[in-house]
Amino acid sequence: MVRHLAGLFALAASTAAGLELKVSQSGGNASSPYLYGIMFEDISHSGDGTLYGQLLQNNGFQGVNVSIDPWKAVGQAQVRQDNATTIGKANHPTIAISAQGGANGSFGVSNPGYKGIRVLEGDYNTQFWLQGAYSGPVTVSLVNANDQSVLGSAKVDVKSESGSFTQYNTSIPVSKSASDGNNLWTLTFDAATASDGTLNLGFPLLYGETFKQRPNGLNAEVAETVNALNGSFLRFPGGNNIEGSSIDNRWKWNETLGPVQDRPGRQGNWGYPNTDGLGLIEYMEWCIDMDLAPVLDVWAGLTIGGGMVEPGAALEPYVQETMDELEFLLGDSSTPGGQYRASLGYQSPFDIPFVEVGNEDFLNNGGDSYPARFKQYYDAIHAKYPQLQIIATTAKQNGPAGVIDDLPEGVLQDVHQYLPPDQFVGNFSAFDHQPRSQPVIVGEYGSTTNNDGSTTDYPTMIGAVSEAVYAIGFERNSDVVRAAAFAPMLEHFGLRDWSPNLFGYDTTNGVTRSISYFVQQMFASNRGDKIHAVEADAGFGPVYWVASSAGGGQTFFVKMANYGASEQSVKVQLEGKTAAQLTVISAEEMESNLPGQEKVKPVVSEVQGEVGKFEVTLPAWSVAVLAAAK
Ligand SMILES: *[C@@H]1O[C@H](CO)[C@@H](O)[C@H](O)[C@H]1NC(C)=O
Ligand SMILES: *[C@@H]1O[C@H](CO)[C@@H](O)[C@H](O)[C@H]1NC(C)=O
Ligand SMILES: *[C@@H]1O[C@H](CO)[C@@H](O)[C@H](O)[C@H]1NC(C)=O
Ligand SMILES: *[C@@H]1O[C@H](CO)[C@@H](O)[C@H](O)[C@H]1NC(C)=O
Ligand SMILES: *[C@@H]1O[C@H](CO)[C@@H](O)[C@H](O)[C@H]1NC(C)=O
Ligand SMILES: *[C@@H]1O[C@H](CO)[C@@H](O)[C@H](O)[C@H]1NC(C)=O
Ligand SMILES: *[C@@H]1O[C@H](CO)[C@@H](O)[C@H](O)[C@H]1NC(C)=O
Ligand SMILES: *[C@@H]1O[C@H](CO)[C@@H](O)[C@H](O)[C@H]1NC(C)=O
């Protein structure tokens, strides 16, 4: 991913006088170990269709107003949604398939996934249920929709009966990756063996390689890209997607557990159904597999446009719902919640440091009642789990609505910032004067608008530099800014609800990482545990910097951003260090990485330091990290 261009930057540096930074070796404030992390909700099909490993769309008719779309007949078949023949505890409708009179060869159904199915060399696991009198072969295949070529296929001997569903499970071997993403999953019967009548296909599932080989796990390729961000926490499951368009439509923890066919799914807040195949246990496994500290967001009475539960007695059952969720996650096995968890394979309680009450309750007229609703949740949660760090979703930086003046000690506030580049830079010092008794997280931020007011489609170089300037601002204050995450993390290109996103996916190219992705990765992968004072011969702007150290001064990091159209020379003094690695990302101001084109990437070089002095050139519009271990 990174090229080694030894000496390039050092060479350019020797000509100009430039800025001088002298990093103090001693003292410094502690930096939060959670500073760089991940925010996730299912938006732009980031869950169903992208990160969640199940690849078939509309597999259980989840959501509202659902039709047979995008299922299609293969051969001489008739297919329809059968609401009367259901599967699972959630009573999912199934697909009724009948051979048309005179059908010959094979007949069945196809599914195009979410804008195609990415087919790579390897094994695809597929599972399905069948009901109806049929004894004979069923063929499941992955087929290219353009040229009908079969990419992989498996035959299953089926003895299906009418009146009950039988489950089948097989693997489709693929020996060569498809040339594009326009691929279908097909399931076909042999017309010669089929007697008259209808066959019902229930809850079909298709998985490619999953992260850490988890059954019902994350798409390996997408998850690897998440893992490489090197974050330290995961805030989930929302975001707006937790809130519901009505009270009953909120994200309900206990409906995301158990066998996938038993989960009802729900109509998500971003205009499409959620299968909830990526459920609470899968979120916890994600945290475990990537060593991320969970920041669990809980519903706190506010919906998006569908009303609110007033604080007091009416809210009590919902507070209890959260307490049940926490007992499920944190209770020992003597509690009913803990027993339920153990029955799903997790004997020991999960490790959860943070719980956030609500999401953006300063919006949707939730502000007035938020202080009282927050107090009701806080009192219940804190009394039972005093070790949890509780987060309020309002903060003065988000506007005045719902800001709580007398927060209990230890409560964090969640700042969300979606700004044009100039305003991120304008907020560089936003946390310099944050009272140390009022810690915050920056739960969501990203440059969403260009400086001319137009919407940012894909993260731009100038946007990424401005995010870096803002991040340098909060890293300088990371004793009080405890955690921060860019949002949203992920989109399925072409199924977008929001822009820009940290990275995206399509079924032909796989993942494409944005410039902002690389900046996040650079910052998260070069963390100090102490922030050091820096003596400079000029003020901030256009160059911004922060210095930190890890391992008791073993390694020093200097993060720098050049928010300007001219190259800048910087002399960095790091006493005692003689060699450093410099990582730089830069491009034209409005450059972006478009789907399938990772044009802009960080470049790594080695820099020699004469008596602790490192000469660095920051190109126009650039972000750089100097890491000195020797
Ligand atoms: C199945 O039920 C859903 C929701 O109740 C309805 O929207 C749909 O029209 C029904 N479809 C059929 C084929 O009966
Ligand atoms: C479902 O259909 C009803 C009736 O047409 C409509 O009012 C509602 O907006 C639809 N809901 C969704 C999520 O499409
Ligand atoms: C089988 O069906 C195809 C259409 O799907 C038709 O073209 C063909 O003539 C049929 N063959 C027989 C033997 O009926
Ligand atoms: C299906 O088979 C795979 C591979 O053998 C296995 O990991 C998985 O648990 C099976 N699933 C079911 C539901 O039987
Ligand atoms: C989930 O919990 C609620 C109570 O909060 C209960 O009414 C509902 O039946 C539960 N659902 C499932 C699937 O267990
Ligand atoms: C700082 O951010 C706020 C939004 O929280 C924005 O309104 C303001 O313009 C920014 N300040 C500067 C100086 O850009
Ligand atoms: C991830 O970040 C940690 C802390 O900064 C660092 O030690 C580690 O090398 C990083 N991993 C990668 C693969 O960059
Ligand atoms: C440490 O925090 C204090 C505010 O409590 C601040 O004045 C000081 O500049 C910080 N030191 C460093 C090295 O950032």
Side-chain angles (χ1 to χ4, degrees), residues 242-265:
I242 196 174
E243 290 173 83
S245 55
S246 65
I247 291 163
D248 191 48
N249 189 226
R250 70 193 180 281
W251 188 88
K252 295 177 190 145
W253 71 276
N254 64 345
E255 295 191 351
T256 72
L257 298 171
V260 284
Q261 70 276 12
D262 292 345
R263 305 180 192 179

Side-chain angles (χ1 to χ4, degrees), residues 75-76 102-105:
Q76 291 167 296
N104 64 58

Side-chain angles (χ1 to χ4, degrees), residues 116-203:
I117 296 171
R118 184 157 162 83
V119 178
L120 302 172
E121 186 187 329
D123 289 333
Y124 283 71
N125 173 253
T126 194
Q127 300 164 38
F128 54 90
W129 281 257
L130 286 177
Q131 173 175 310
Y134 180 83
S135 181
V138 161
T139 306
V140 279
S141 307
L142 293 165
V143 178
N144 183 271
N146 298 329
D147 62 11
Q148 303 302 314
S149 61
V150 176
L151 303 156
S153 188
K155 255 194 173 68
V156 186
D157 281 324
V158 161
K159 279 192 181 48
S160 163
E161 310 164 359
S162 49
S164 71
F165 277 98
T166 313
Q167 189 187 4
Y168 299 93
N169 181 5
T170 193
S171 167
I172 306 175
V174 173
S175 57
K176 187 167 167 282
S177 300
S179 53
D180 62 61
N182 191 11
N183 306 304
L184 308 167
W185 178 88
T186 64
L187 179 144
T188 54
F189 303 92
D190 180 1
T193 346
S195 52
D196 289 343
T198 299
L199 299 161
N200 279 82
L201 169 66
F203 218 81

